[in-house]
Amino acid sequence: MTNSDLYLELHRSMKCPVCIQEPMCNHTSWRIGGPADILLKPRDEQDLRQALIYARQQGLPVTVIGNGTNLLVADRGIRGIVIKIGPGLADIEMRDQIIYAGAGTPLPLLARKAMQAGLAGFEFLAGIPGNVGGALVMNAGANGYAIGELVRQVTACDYAGNSYTFKAQELAFSYRHSSLAQMNIIVTGVVLHGKPDLAEEIKNRMELALAWRRQVQPLEYPNAGSVFKNPPGDSAGRLIERAGCKEMRVGNIQVSPRHANFIVNLGGGTASDVLEIVEQIQYTVEKKFGIKLALEVQKLGEF
Ligand SMILES: Cc1cc2nc3c(=O)[nH]c(=O)nc-3n(C[C@H](O)[C@H](O)[C@H](O)COP(=O)(O)OP(=O)(O)OC[C@H]3O[C@@H](n4cnc5c(N)ncnc54)[C@H](O)[C@@H]3O)c2cc1C
């Protein structure tokens, strides 16, 4: 089937926006990644279920992404269907100290809405550029806080379209991990709880956190946040710097001179360059300190 035949077929069977041979560099904060065979952007949960049915009927693999801010996508791209969970699943509802947010809700928007409603505890999310679904899978966090601590329950569906609800205690949230990552499911929404506080005070804390990020993070270049997890009791950035890897460069990919756990794309960098620099860092840090740094970013596609 040609690309235009495929496009017409998808257009007929699917209501949501469809892209064929879509460069994934347009959907990752690193601006890296080859083409996805098919990329779908569900406008609601019904579209999502329709996409899953289509994938099953055609025997196509499915990959789910959020805002692509924690992803290293292969230069050869991703085979099958990529489902991007974004604005179509981004409803927010608030009642008393409880917030319901769709999986596609941007974290900075969630933090702002909580602040406006006088709910504290969400401030650290203001500077994390992912969406709610990705944040729950990764248990995103900063400065000693993590989203898992705010969770009451998570709604999800499996690849056959069956719905599930999980209580927070079933999800084993820990440092940059939750059991959602192993469940082979798609997060559709979450119920979170906060603590009442004055909006003005919440705003001040949020602005302080954002100012700290602007100071220490190289936000002027495409990046994916921290590349490695911090090993117990230490910081990956400190180890990388002490191992002499700061400013290391492969092609147009560089270990940031500002923050050694950030690897930046100076323009036109590739996933294989990132992998090469990652391996060099892991080798050098392990040789010097005996610690094997584990990747925080998620590799997707045909490596
Ligand atoms: C400048 C910058 C700063 C950052 N700072 C932080 C920080 O302070 N703390 C932190 O923890 N992270 C940080 N990150 C990393 C990233 O923003 C978070 O991990 C974020 O939660 C990822 O969300 P996402 O929507 O971008 O997910 P993606 O990167 O799109 O996906 C991440 C993983 O989740 C899966 N996934 C995504 N959505 C769903 C879903 N609905 N259902 C099932 N699986 C899904 C994907 O398959 C993938 O495995 C930073 C990134 C950048 C670029």
Side-chain angles (χ1 to χ4, degrees):
M1 196 186 284
T2 65
N3 279 346
S4 51
D5 289 343
L6 179 61
Y7 182 78
L8 285 174
E9 186 195 299
L10 281 162
H11 217 63
R12 267 197 301 273
S13 27
M14 215 71 64
K15 294 201 189 87
C16 65
V18 169
C19 307
I20 305 286
Q21 290 301 314
E22 174 67 8
M24 286 302 295
C25 56
N26 295 339
H27 302 276
T28 61
S29 56
W30 239 333
R31 299 282 166 254
I32 288 173
D37 292 341
I38 298 168
L39 183 133
L40 302 174
K41 298 177 190 166
R43 296 160 311 161
D44 52 28
E45 283 195 35
Q46 211 183 332
D47 277 359
L48 171 61
R49 284 186 163 71
Q50 200 185 27
L52 295 171
I53 291 168
Y54 179 84
R56 262 163 72 97
Q57 282 168 350
Q58 304 297 319
L60 293 170
V62 172
T63 303
V64 177
I65 65 164
N67 204 28
T69 61
N70 208 31
L71 298 183
L72 178 62
V73 174
D75 298 320
R76 280 187 290 199
I78 305 180
R79 305 289 70 84
I81 298 184
V82 173
I83 299 181
K84 182 167 177 169
I85 306 289
L89 280 87
D91 298 340
I92 299 188
E93 286 168 31
M94 304 205 174
R95 199 171 334 119
D96 304 324
Q97 291 160 34
I98 298 294
I99 302 182
Y100 167 82
T105 307
L107 299 172
L109 176 67
L110 175 63
R112 212 164 49 244
K113 291 277 186 188
M115 181 265 288
Q116 286 161 355
L119 275 188
F122 297 78
E123 296 87 317
F124 69 98
L125 295 173
I128 305 182
N131 293 345
V132 160
L136 291 165
V137 172
M138 303 298 307
N139 193 19
N143 310 114
Y145 301 97
I147 193 166
E149 292 150 22
L150 304 170
V151 172
R152 283 272 166 88
Q153 63 182 46
V154 170
T155 53
C157 69
D158 64 18
Y159 286 79
N162 303 305
S163 299
Y164 299 89
T165 300
F166 302 102
K167 292 200 170 71
Q169 52 272 31
E170 294 175 85
L171 297 175
F173 287 107
S174 59
Y175 172 64
R176 299 299 168 268
H177 180 78
S178 77
S179 49
L180 290 164
Q182 274 86 50
M183 285 180 176
N184 225 9
I185 52 158
I186 301 168
V187 176
T188 51
V190 66
V191 178
L192 303 148
H193 65 102
K195 285 198 196 115
D197 198 355
L198 294 174
E200 200 52 35
E201 299 207 352
I202 300 172
K203 190 172 174 211
N204 289 341
R205 288 195 294 271
M206 227 160 83
E207 281 174 359
L208 273 178
L210 288 170
W212 167 78
R213 278 176 189 270
R214 282 192 294 270
Q215 210 181 335
V216 301
Q217 298 182 348
L219 303 177
E220 64 279 24
Y221 290 110
N223 67 80
S226 293
V227 173
F228 297 99
K229 292 186 186 187
N230 288 324
D234 212 328
S235 122
R238 188 193 78 86
L239 293 170
I240 296 167
E241 191 168 347
R242 293 288 298 278
C245 298
K246 212 173 185 179
E247 299 189 44
M248 179 188 273
R249 187 169 168 170
V250 174
N252 278 337
I253 295 294
Q254 188 188 33
V255 178
S256 166
R258 181 110 56 93
H259 189 317
N261 200 14
F262 273 57
I263 293 179
V264 296
N265 182 358
L266 301 173
T270 64
S272 55
D273 291 341
V274 173
L275 277 191
E276 195 177 323
I277 222 166
V278 158
E279 281 164 17
Q280 283 191 36
I281 291 171
Q282 284 173 325
Y283 174 80
T284 317
V285 168
E286 190 168 12
K287 205 165 148 209
K288 190 155 170 98
F289 299 108
I291 295 172
K292 176 85 187 271
L293 292 177
L295 272 183
E296 181 173 321
V297 295
Q298 308 289 303
K299 282 162 63 184
L300 290 184
E302 242 186 359
F303 277 98

